[in-house]
Amino acid sequence: MADNKFAAYICSGCGIGDILDVAKLERVAKVEGKMQIIKTHPFLCNEEGVKMIRDDIANEGVTHVCIAACSRRAKVEAFSFPTVALSRANLREGVIWAVAEGSEHDEVRQEMAEDYVRMSCAEVKKMTVPAGNVKESSSRKILVVGGGMSGMTAAKAAADAGYEVVLVEKTGQLGGFANQMWKRMPFNAPYAEAQPTGAAELAAELSAHPKVKIYLNSTVAETAGAPGRFKVKIAAESGSVSEELCGAIVQASGFTTYPLEKLPELGGGQPNVVDQAGLEALAKAANGGPIKRPDGKEVKSVVFIQCAGQRDDSGTHLPYCSGHCCGTSIKQAMYFKDQNPDIDTVVMYTDLRVPGMGEDFYRSAQRKGVIFTKGKASKVTGGDTCKVEFKDLILDEDTATEADLVVLATGQVPNAGVNLDEWTATVTAAESGDEAAKTKKAELQKISVLNLNYRQGPDMPQLKYGFADSHFICFPYETRRTGIYAAGPMRRPMDMFQAQEDATGAALKAIQAAENAALGRAAHPRAWDLSFPKARLEGCTQCKRCTVECPFGAIDEDEKRFPVFNEERCRRCGTCMGACPVRVISFENYSCDTVGMQVKAVEVPDEDEEKPRILILACENDAYPAIDMAGMQRHTYSAFVRVIPVRCLGSVNTIWITDALNSGYDGVMMMGCQKGENYQCHFVKGSEMAYYRLGKVGDTMKGMGLEPERMQTYEIAITDGARVAKLINDYVAQLNELGPSPMKGFG
Amino acid sequence: MTASIATNPTILVVGGGIAGMTAALEAAECGKQVILAEKSPTLGGRTSMLYRYFPKMCHPTCGLEINLKRIRGNPNVRVMTMTEVAAVSGTRGDYTVTLKIKPRYVNENCTACGDCGKAVTTEVPNTFNYGLDKVKAAYLPHAMAYPQRYVIDPSIVGTADGEAAKAACKYGAVDLAMQEQTVELKVGSIVWATGWRPYDANRIQPYGYDRYQNVITSVEFERLCDPRGPTGGKILRPSDGKEAKNIAFIQCAGSRDENHLRHCSRICCMATLKQTMYVREIDPTAKSTVYYIDIRVIDRLEDFYQDVQKDPNVSFVKSKVARIALNEANGNPILHGVNTEGYHRYANEHDLVVLAIGMEPEVAGVKLPDDIILDSSKFIEGSKSAGMFGAGSAASPLDVNRAVQSATAAALRAVQVIHKTASTEAA
Amino acid sequence: MSEANTQALARYKNNFLKEVEERVEDGQWVKMCMQCGVCAGSCPFGPHWEHSPQKIFMMIRAGKREEVLTSDSMWMCTSCYNCIVRCPRKLPITHIMHGLANYANRLGLVPKGQPTRDIAVLFWKNVVKNGRVNEMTFSLAMYFRDGLGQGIKNAMAMKDIGLGLMKAKRLNPMEIFGGHTCKDKSGLQRMIAKAREIEDKRRGLA
């Protein structure tokens, strides 16, 4: 592109001009960085400084801007020039605040600053402004799968915000589990009485809603495409198939109750022992009159047993707590008390879990005379008179009680579709000819909810215990399938209030995903990023690493087994770029070259200068801010390191490391986030991928005659400002002992 | 055609904690215009003052970094700090809001270079550390403060120290003549994400928070364990700076109590379990004892509880502690009560007591617009005009994850109001 | 077994909680307890009794009628009100304890020789008789409640205090002959009898 014009702007404020030789930095930018315009300003981020840059962009045709000032995390709004490619050389947090004061450090500090200017110039030259990809035909319609309380709420929420909604329900009626319920827990003050569920009213509203199209007795037979262009085949029980083009999906496929038969020790399967769902049915049948057992006898005494088959640490039953069951038992005990205060109702619990305003509901039940016994039931015998043997934990004795009916508070089991780990294993086995696996694959396909035709499997990945929850505390809707959001008890066990809140939030995320897909913008966590990986397929070796390693299932394969990148599913993490052995994948503003050229731009001193060079590749979300904060808090570190932020350690291409080691760097520090079960990576397994790939670099290093210590990987938390400085200094000391890299001079 | 409803497509979000940031960002990333008003000098709220989150033990600032990046990159969000809502009038789709903006005494020229902080000598209590230590009267609230701009404490305005700060700034960023401003604006919908505050522990008399130095609150304990906190991450007890080795955690300190907060604050059980993990991390030999009524950790958080139960250094006593006395000789609090599982009376000496303090709505005692509907604990249920919504822990005592979920839902409700008023007007 | 007790057993069968709710002063509060145990830990008499209030409440709910009504625990209450002040559910625990004691007494279930009960009964009889307390007869009744020999021993042991009180004119030996009474003491006695009748009716004890 002949029209490119490169400019470097150096700020001498905040002490940069006092500590560094800015004239030399200008020279570096000009001579080595080949910048065409070079300007220094004493206060670059103020109005005047920013205007100077804007004017150059407007009047001088500057297309590429390198700003040598503070960290890329500071003054972002001031240095926002959306029409040009922009790089930032971190001279403040990364140099003058990071390197110890004193003239003995002047030389190395200056060298560090000059390298950052070189790197920034090298980077910006390889960048282009992401063009974005507006799609006129993009659909903003929201598909909601599941017509229970969560699905209905999501559908209504999206429709009320002005969006077309398609609602698919597998049964012949909207309402889901709520249809089996007599009443629900209260959502508002005074939290004293059970309330009508409102399911029928909501269903009626939806049926009459001009924006909502409802498919009953239908399931999703196939979901193809990506956000903004999901092609959804909806199969009716009758055999007819309709197709809908949708922008985003809310999956609200609900739960089933844990099977009573699995709890024989608590009377599961015996007469007059029911679960909470069973009790709802009895209450519904009673319709406000006396609640009768299936044998027609009026219930005069009832015992509710909490945590039946839940909170189980033996591995037999559900290990988790379903959260709603204490409140539900309270509500159900009220069914009896409201009808006849003389009915004995006992709730047997170990921890009564009614968080928040649930405490008022608990009190209300106590006022009505519901008895709460802290105890653990060991055996229930069903029959005309049920016997509950239990340990009373307060009175510290083994005892028993009798009742006409026993209600077991069993847990919620999610209907989240196919477990993708199981799927992958089955498919792999089936592909290798295992007949049993082929049968199993067909069975799995039957339980799939979305039937995604994604290469990585037909449903959303599940987090734990079959729930398709987000892994992140701050981002409950951070999904691993872009544009598809889980809502309600398939995401996490929950009560109806939580489910409706959750569904409303999920509807917002779906709307957002559809809107952003239309504008070619990324979804969270790189929200609104317009860059997108481009692949030079002529160089592709069809190794499939990108398709397998993409954490979001964004890449499919075509018939010739080339990767097919689905832009709208992509989260712009760069894991594919890191995976690609032939380096054909790149983003406009982040590529093998933008980083590779920075690595190469660094001046690597000769062996006899005793100035080791260490490359740090730092995850931009945690490690890079931590290094910044080391500077801000003056935890000084060695001036021998050169830090390059990366989108994710998963995006690190091993070529950068081998290039660095080849050109005489003495060591490489890879800084990513915590991996393992409690991983922090917002791109799921970036850190883990890096460890895996670097294991392979180790072999290359051996071949080069390099010590394994020359490459180290670290888990860094964002709070690790002090620690990261120490790690750097320790590593420099370690390398000093090791001596200079034997590769020096060969590069 | 409906009578002309003056509409304003802007959403106001009150409160810049994680719920407020989320509500603002989620609406803004749908393309809506949002004003985010925060009363303190920085966004981040109480979560930024936490050391780690349960159950992943990850750092809240990690999510804050992402959210700040979203805000910096989104032209649809306008952030106003040091700003409080003074009045709201009007109705759904057409509210007039009066905002009061307190002077920061530092303008946007600030580069956060820190020269003003070096120049002043006055120190003020550090609110970021719940007053456990002090900061200079010209300060950056914390390392991740946003806007990344210093604040001058009003106490030094008009003093030599104030002038010193002004003189130290090379960029003309210190403006001691700044005055409180009042601005009025029109918005279509308002999301109240005003958050929570710890209940006043002084009012729980039998626990002697006001009398015994070694009785502290859970929010203070959070700061002690944080390496960025006043003790550099060491659990040093206030009376003598000795490392605490035998720590008691008292649950329901204020919560589930009709003399104090009638609701259950939901987070305290998990917060305490998490804090026992801090204790284990900082000193593997130290002991934690949890005094509780019910352990309320729902869904898969149960795993975390089971993990903690396996730790031989953590024990659980089912008891609401009756009172705390003091061992005058060593400053140790002595807990008196009865373990109700079988009735065992105890008088247990600990070297530090942490009160798992309840969540009170930040707006309790604050005059809100009459339109707003509050529950018996002053959490915001909604509004009569149906255009204002509670979000996060302003709406209910919620953990971070649920607060964000609630804020996302509130964002959609606000978007619906904007949509409805716009379409009504268009009709 | 007293007739009242037999009647109560027949009436409430196994539902002791209901019996307490209907027949014990403030008994309807028992069900509101959430077993936190703050009352148990707050009571200054805690180390001396068998069952704490919270445990008594649980025993009531568990139907342990005889154990509760024959317990000495509620007789230990000195009305310090620590428990009431601290109870997070605002149960009037002190009142319930007195209510239970009173009810146990009505049913004749209090163990023989329960000292608090004995004193209370003596005091009540004494005060109803004349409409005011006669310290002289009350003291002597207490000393001699375990028989003549023990009574003399008790009186001798307390004689210095007695003489001191007489000297200070706080105790009048002449009161032993009946002492002075309130105005219209039979009116008062009728009033008390009527009140009791109403209360018994209300509580189903009549």
Side-chain angles (χ1 to χ4, degrees):
Chain A
M1 285 192 245
D3 296 325
N4 283 349
K5 191 155 190 180
F6 303 100
Y9 300 91
I10 301 168
C11 180
S12 62
C14 289
I16 294 173
D18 305 330
I19 297 171
L20 299 173
D21 184 341
V22 173
K24 276 171 89 176
L25 296 179
E26 288 179 344
R27 239 179 348 264
V28 167
K30 188 175 173 64
V31 177
E32 296 174 58
K34 305 271 194 293
M35 295 285 120
Q36 291 145 292
I37 296 175
I38 292 139
K39 290 181 181 172
T40 297
H41 192 279
F43 185 13
L44 191 62
C45 62
N46 83 345
E47 233 171 288
E48 188 194 278
V50 171
K51 186 172 180 301
M52 174 177 86
I53 304 174
R54 275 192 211 295
D55 286 349
D56 284 354
I57 294 170
N59 306 328
E60 303 292 327
V62 168
T63 57
H64 288 69
V65 171
C66 158
I67 288 172
C70 43
S71 163
R72 69 209 303 252
R73 296 172 61 254
K75 293 285 173 189
V76 178
E77 292 93 333
F79 297 134
S80 164
F81 312 108
T83 59
V84 302
L86 180 76
S87 70
R88 304 269 306 256
N90 185 355
L91 301 185
R92 186 174 75 163
E93 288 85 346
V95 180
I96 64 165
W97 287 357
V99 179
E101 290 175 22
S103 58
E104 68 273 30
H105 304 291
D106 282 354
E107 186 182 307
V108 290
R109 191 192 298 114
Q110 177 73 21
E111 285 170 358
M112 192 185 203
E114 288 172 13
D115 269 349
Y116 278 133
V117 172
R118 282 183 195 105
M119 290 157 74
S120 187
C121 293
E123 181 189 14
V124 80
K125 276 192 283 189
K126 290 289 175 190
M127 292 165 85
T128 53
V129 184
N133 189 4
V134 178
K135 294 164 210 77
E136 297 293 339
S137 64
S138 197
S139 168
R140 287 179 170 82
K141 199 184 283 178
I142 307 299
L143 170 72
V144 178
V145 184
M149 238 22 208
S150 310
M152 290 199 295
T153 305
K156 173 117 187 351
D160 283 351
Y163 290 80
E164 300 275 334
V165 175
V166 171
L167 177 56
V168 179
E169 163 59 34
K170 70 175 172 203
T171 71
Q173 193 188 359
L174 294 182
F177 190 79
N179 286 344
Q180 304 175 42
M181 288 168 63
W182 169 235
K183 286 183 178 175
R184 63 158 170 82
M185 283 181 257
F187 296 171
N188 298 96
Y191 299 94
E193 305 293 338
Q195 303 290 325
T197 64
E201 291 77 4
L202 186 50
E205 273 184 75
L206 284 171
S207 302
H209 205 297
K211 295 250 178 209
V212 182
K213 188 168 170 187
I214 300 167
Y215 288 89
L216 295 177
N217 293 313
S218 299
T219 53
V220 174
E222 191 195 47
T223 306
R229 52 177 179 89
F230 282 119
K231 268 203 201 91
V232 185
K233 285 198 184 114
I234 299 162
E237 224 171 41
S238 62
S240 69
V241 176
S242 322
E243 194 169 295
E244 292 277 356
L245 183 69
C246 296
I249 300 171
V250 174
Q251 183 181 339
S253 43
F255 68 99
T256 46
T257 50
Y258 189 70
L260 264 179
E261 309 82 79
K262 289 197 182 177
L263 297 166
E265 68 280 15
L266 292 179
Q270 294 186 48
N272 305 319
V273 178
V274 296
D275 60 7
Q276 290 182 323
L279 196 273
E280 289 293 337
L282 296 179
K284 214 172 153 120
N287 196 25
I291 295 175
K292 292 176 185 155
R293 308 196 308 203
D295 64 7
K297 183 178 169 186
E298 261 185 46
V299 178
K300 294 284 185 198
S301 56
V302 57
V303 174
F304 293 85
I305 297 175
Q306 299 310 109
C307 308
Q310 303 192 66
R311 299 179 63 192
D312 176 55
D313 57 2
S314 72
T316 318
H317 302 298
L318 304 178
Y320 52 86
C321 154
S322 290
H324 75 90
C325 346
C326 283
T328 298
S329 287
I330 287 172
K331 175 194 73 174
Q332 296 185 334
M334 285 183 181
Y335 292 170
F336 292 98
K337 284 289 182 189
D338 287 347
Q339 197 274 323
N340 176 4
D342 283 339
I343 296 175
D344 288 330
T345 54
V346 174
V347 176
M348 200 173 285
Y349 69 97
T350 50
D351 292 286
L352 201 82
R353 294 179 168 177
V354 282
M357 289 300 161
E359 193 68 19
D360 272 344
F361 197 44
Y362 176 21
R363 275 188 281 253
S364 175
Q366 286 182 302
R367 251 190 311 272
K368 289 173 192 274
V370 178
I371 294 176
F372 290 85
T373 295
K374 189 174 163 79
K376 208 164 171 48
S378 52
K379 192 177 172 208
V380 176
T381 318
D384 191 46
T385 299
C386 303
K387 187 178 172 198
V388 178
E389 290 168 53
F390 69 102
K391 174 161 188 182
D392 186 316
L393 294 167
I394 297 293
L395 301 178
D396 198 19
E397 62 183 15
D398 292 311
T399 179
T401 187
E402 292 184 338
D404 293 337
L405 186 71
V406 172
V407 182
L408 302 184
T410 57
Q412 291 178 324
V413 180
N415 280 345
V418 177
N419 178 324
L420 295 191
D421 293 333
E422 202 180 349
W423 172 262
T424 310
T426 310
V427 169
T428 312
E431 277 171 2
S432 65
D434 182 338
E435 287 304 318
K438 281 180 194 165
T439 319
K440 194 177 172 196
K441 187 183 165 191
E443 272 165 22
L444 286 177
Q445 237 147 3
K446 272 186 223 146
I447 62 163
S448 173
V449 177
L450 294 178
N451 281 299
L452 293 163
N453 70 351
Y454 289 18
R455 194 198 177 280
Q456 290 184 3
D459 279 304
M460 299 176 86
Q462 296 163 4
L463 182 68
K464 209 172 183 187
Y465 308 134
F467 291 95
D469 202 357
S470 156
H471 180 65
F472 301 97
I473 314 299
C474 298
F475 307 106
Y477 296 104
E478 188 163 329
T479 164
R480 283 171 61 186
R481 290 292 174 265
T482 310
I484 306 176
Y485 299 93
M490 59 145 300
R491 187 165 84 78
R492 180 161 70 200
M494 57 177 82
D495 60 29
M496 198 189 285
F497 179 76
Q498 283 281 318
Q500 293 199 282
E501 285 284 295
D502 192 31
T504 309
L508 179 128
K509 294 302 290 186
I511 287 170
Q512 200 180 65
E515 289 288 350
N516 288 327
L519 296 168
R521 290 163 168 167
H524 186 83
R526 295 188 61 83
W528 288 26
D529 187 348
L530 292 172
S531 72
F532 173 66
K534 304 231 160 49
R536 282 185 298 108
L537 290 184
E538 58 276 22
C540 172
T541 59
Q542 297 158 300
C543 75
K544 294 203 260 183
R545 276 195 213 158
C546 57
T547 53
V548 173
E549 290 181 11
C550 173
F552 305 104
I555 312 172
D556 294 327
E557 271 162 32
D558 66 11
E559 317 78 66
K560 294 178 194 155
R561 319 207 90 176
F562 279 113
V564 178
F565 288 79
N566 290 284
E567 172 176 341
E568 303 90 338
R569 290 191 214 158
C570 170
R571 303 274 266 276
R572 281 73 164 169
C573 60
T575 298
C576 50
M577 182 172 112
C580 185
V582 285
R583 298 179 297 285
V584 298
I585 302 169
S586 60
F587 295 80
E588 289 140 313
N589 53 3
Y590 183 58
S591 64
C592 284
D593 276 351
T594 60
V595 177
M597 294 315 281
Q598 291 184 70
V599 172
K600 287 176 186 159
V602 170
E603 225 169 49
V604 180
D606 288 338
E607 192 172 343
D608 48 10
E609 285 185 63
E610 294 185 355
K611 287 176 186 165
R613 275 296 166 267
I614 295 130
L615 175 65
I616 298 181
L617 295 170
C619 153
E620 67 177 8
N621 191 56
D622 287 312
Y624 196 76
I627 297 171
D628 252 9
M629 279 183 272
M632 288 168 74
Q633 291 155 357
R634 306 300 197 275
H635 300 295
T636 57
Y637 55 84
S638 165
F640 297 139
V641 295
R642 303 293 179 259
V643 185
I644 300 178
V646 292
R647 286 190 185 178
C648 175
L649 271 202
S651 73
V652 169
N653 196 293
T654 50
I655 189 73
W656 301 335
I657 298 157
T658 44
D659 273 1
L661 293 171
N662 267 320
S663 56
Y665 279 82
D666 298 278
V668 178
M669 299 176 90
M670 307 268 294
M671 295 185 178
C673 46
Q674 188 180 317
K675 57 179 173 27
E677 194 193 3
N678 284 333
Y679 68 84
Q680 314 276 297
C681 182
H682 287 266
F683 302 121
V684 188
K685 48 191 175 182
S687 209
E688 212 147 310
M689 286 310 309
Y691 273 80
Y692 168 73
R693 290 182 198 145
L694 295 172
K696 300 192 164 170
V697 176
D699 299 338
T700 319
M701 288 172 68
K702 229 182 258 169
M704 290 159 77
L706 286 175
E707 303 86 341
E709 294 85 349
R710 297 211 183 265
M711 197 201 59
Q712 296 287 343
T713 315
Y714 303 86
E715 289 181 5
I716 303 290
I718 189 164
T719 48
D720 278 345
R723 177 174 164 251
V724 84
K726 187 175 181 299
L727 288 176
I728 290 173
N729 294 333
D730 289 350
Y731 189 54
V732 171
Q734 192 189 351
L735 286 181
N736 278 338
E737 269 179 36
L738 209 60
S741 161
M743 297 302 293
K744 274 191 203 294
F746 292 99
Chain B
M1 170 163 172
T2 316
S4 74
I5 303 170
T7 63
N8 192 306
T10 303
I11 297 165
L12 171 67
V13 178
V14 187
I18 191 150
M21 282 195 288
T22 301
L25 279 164
E26 296 301 350
E29 287 178 6
C30 285
K32 302 290 179 243
Q33 295 296 313
V34 183
I35 292 169
L36 176 56
E38 161 59 40
K39 76 172 175 184
S40 84
T42 173
L43 299 184
R46 293 200 188 273
T47 53
S48 63
M49 296 149 90
L50 299 175
Y51 171 34
R52 290 171 186 265
Y53 279 147
F54 58 77
K56 278 172 61 190
M57 302 307 281
C58 55
H59 298 277
T61 37
C62 163
L64 181 62
E65 175 77 9
I66 291 180
N67 281 333
L68 291 180
K69 202 189 221 168
R70 289 164 81 187
I71 284 179
R72 288 184 205 119
N74 196 315
N76 291 349
V77 188
R78 186 172 148 212
V79 175
M80 300 174 75
T81 48
M82 311 203 72
T83 302
E84 278 185 87
V85 175
V88 176
S89 62
T91 187
R92 174 188 169 94
D94 182 27
Y95 293 107
T96 303
V97 185
T98 311
L99 297 176
K100 274 205 162 59
I101 309 167
K102 287 209 186 91
R104 185 187 193 101
Y105 304 109
V106 175
N107 64 31
E108 55 278 10
N109 278 350
C110 176
T111 65
C113 72
D115 286 349
C116 56
K118 283 181 206 145
V120 307
T121 52
T122 308
E123 290 191 325
V124 292
N126 186 356
T127 50
F128 185 68
N129 286 335
Y130 287 96
L132 293 171
D133 63 354
K134 292 190 161 190
V135 279
K136 290 286 188 70
Y139 63 100
L140 193 62
H142 57 94
M144 294 210 14
Y146 180 88
Q148 198 186 21
R149 208 192 292 171
Y150 272 62
V151 194
I152 295 203
D153 192 88
S155 67
I156 63 163
V157 174
T159 69
D161 235 12
E163 292 305 324
K166 187 176 161 71
C169 182
K170 300 186 193 77
Y171 309 107
V174 176
D175 177 1
L176 299 171
M178 255 184 209
Q179 296 291 323
E180 183 175 279
Q181 280 179 283
T182 303
V183 294
E184 208 167 78
L185 44 93
K186 291 263 186 190
V187 296
S189 177
I190 304 175
V191 174
W192 292 83
T194 38
W196 64 282
R197 62 174 175 240
Y199 182 72
D200 179 5
N202 286 329
R203 299 177 62 181
I204 313 169
Q205 268 298 311
Y207 294 163
Y209 176 77
D210 57 343
R211 309 186 292 280
Y212 311 139
Q213 283 183 287
N214 296 328
V215 177
I216 64 172
T217 65
S218 46
V219 288
E220 290 166 339
F221 190 71
E222 202 69 26
R223 299 313 303 143
L224 289 188
C225 296
D226 191 336
R228 303 163 302 162
T231 53
K234 289 199 173 119
I235 307 172
L236 306 180
R237 59 186 210 153
S239 71
D240 50 15
K242 276 195 200 143
E243 284 182 26
K245 300 267 183 196
N246 179 13
I247 302 168
F249 293 89
I250 299 184
Q251 298 311 107
C252 302
S255 306
R256 297 183 70 183
D257 191 334
E258 291 180 43
N259 302 304
H260 303 287
L261 305 170
R262 55 184 291 112
H263 59 270
C264 156
S265 298
R266 183 193 282 267
I267 60 159
C268 334
C269 283
M270 272 306 286
T272 287
L273 296 178
K274 173 188 75 173
Q275 291 182 340
T276 67
M277 292 256 196
Y278 294 168
V279 173
R280 173 159 68 175
E281 170 193 272
I282 292 164
D283 179 354
T285 65
K287 302 229 181 301
S288 299
T289 308
V290 181
Y291 296 86
Y292 73 99
I293 306 173
D294 294 286
I295 296 289
R296 291 184 166 172
V297 294
I298 64 171
D299 59 61
R300 70 184 143 84
L301 298 177
E302 177 73 21
D303 292 357
F304 196 92
Y305 177 33
Q306 288 181 7
D307 274 357
V308 173
Q309 281 177 299
K310 283 178 202 139
D311 184 339
N313 282 335
V314 182
S315 40
F316 290 84
V317 179
K318 188 192 147 13
S319 168
K320 184 173 174 69
V321 174
R323 69 186 171 95
I324 298 178
L326 182 71
N327 181 340
E328 305 267 359
N330 55 15
N332 281 352
I334 303 167
L335 276 54
H336 291 270
V338 163
N339 179 350
T340 62
E341 283 194 343
Y343 187 54
H344 306 285
R345 186 165 291 276
Y346 60 79
N348 294 347
E349 191 163 326
H350 294 272
D351 49 19
L352 184 68
V353 173
V354 180
L355 306 179
I357 200 75
M359 293 170 97
E360 183 172 48
E362 185 72 59
V363 294
V366 174
K367 171 87 183 102
L368 292 173
D370 291 338
D371 192 28
I372 288 194
I373 304 165
L374 298 173
D375 71 15
S376 63
S377 288
K378 312 288 182 214
F379 290 103
I380 297 172
E381 284 192 349
S383 63
K384 289 173 223 154
S385 64
M388 301 200 269
F389 309 98
S393 55
S396 174
L398 295 175
D399 56 37
V400 172
N401 194 269
R402 283 179 176 80
V404 173
Q405 184 184 312
S406 152
T408 311
L412 183 67
R413 292 181 183 122
V415 168
Q416 286 171 343
V417 172
I418 302 296
H419 166 74
K420 276 196 185 146
T421 40
S423 50
T424 311
E425 198 176 52
Chain C
M1 200 177 276
S2 75
E3 197 189 320
N5 191 32
T6 316
Q7 179 251 356
L9 273 170
R11 182 181 170 119
Y12 292 101
K13 297 191 181 72
N14 292 323
N15 200 334
F16 184 40
L17 175 63
K18 189 167 182 190
E19 182 178 351
V20 169
E21 291 196 330
E22 288 184 2
R23 294 190 156 191
V24 174
E25 191 186 348
D26 278 331
Q28 73 278 11
W29 278 95
V30 167
K31 63 191 179 218
M32 296 308 291
C33 170
M34 64 166 166
Q35 294 299 322
C36 74
V38 83
C39 51
S42 297
C43 181
F45 266 77
H48 306 292
W49 61 15
E50 205 183 342
H51 310 295
S52 65
Q54 138 269 331
K55 196 167 177 189
I56 289 269
F57 300 156
M58 198 62 229
M59 289 160 70
I60 293 171
R61 293 193 231 171
K64 295 185 181 286
R65 185 174 186 275
E66 199 178 329
E67 256 186 84
V68 170
L69 293 175
T70 58
S71 167
D72 72 341
S73 301
M74 55 271 199
W75 296 101
M76 298 267 183
C77 175
T78 61
S79 306
C80 77
Y81 285 82
N82 258 346
C83 51
I84 291 196
V85 169
R86 291 180 191 160
C87 176
R89 285 292 179 80
K90 292 200 164 169
L91 267 71
I93 297 164
T94 309
H95 307 166
I96 302 169
M97 294 321 258
H98 292 320
L100 281 170
N102 189 18
Y103 186 58
N105 184 49
R106 281 302 303 277
L107 299 188
L109 293 174
V110 185
K112 229 179 149 60
Q114 212 304 320
T116 319
R117 181 221 170 246
D118 288 355
I119 290 166
V121 169
L122 288 175
F123 184 90
W124 181 250
K125 281 186 180 155
N126 188 290
V127 83
V128 168
K129 195 173 173 194
N130 285 329
R132 57 186 299 144
V133 181
N134 182 327
E135 280 96 351
M136 208 54 216
T137 51
F138 179 49
S139 315
L140 290 173
M142 271 179 59
Y143 297 160
F144 288 91
R145 73 193 160 107
D146 295 329
L148 188 67
Q150 187 60 37
I152 291 167
K153 271 188 204 158
N154 288 340
M156 289 311 289
M158 297 299 284
K159 72 175 195 313
D160 289 348
I161 292 174
L163 290 171
L165 283 168
M166 284 181 205
K167 229 170 149 183
K169 297 204 162 63
R170 304 299 306 159
L171 191 67
N172 183 353
M174 300 313 283
E175 293 269 325
I176 197 166
F177 303 109
H180 58 290
T181 64
C182 70
K183 270 188 217 162
D184 188 18
K185 75 177 177 188
S186 63
L188 174 82
Q189 283 159 357
R190 280 199 310 278
M191 208 158 82
I192 290 171
K194 187 73 190 168
R196 179 154 205 169
E197 190 190 318
I198 294 169
E199 180 69 7
D200 281 357
K201 212 170 185 174
R202 191 166 71 85
R203 299 205 174 275
L205 281 158

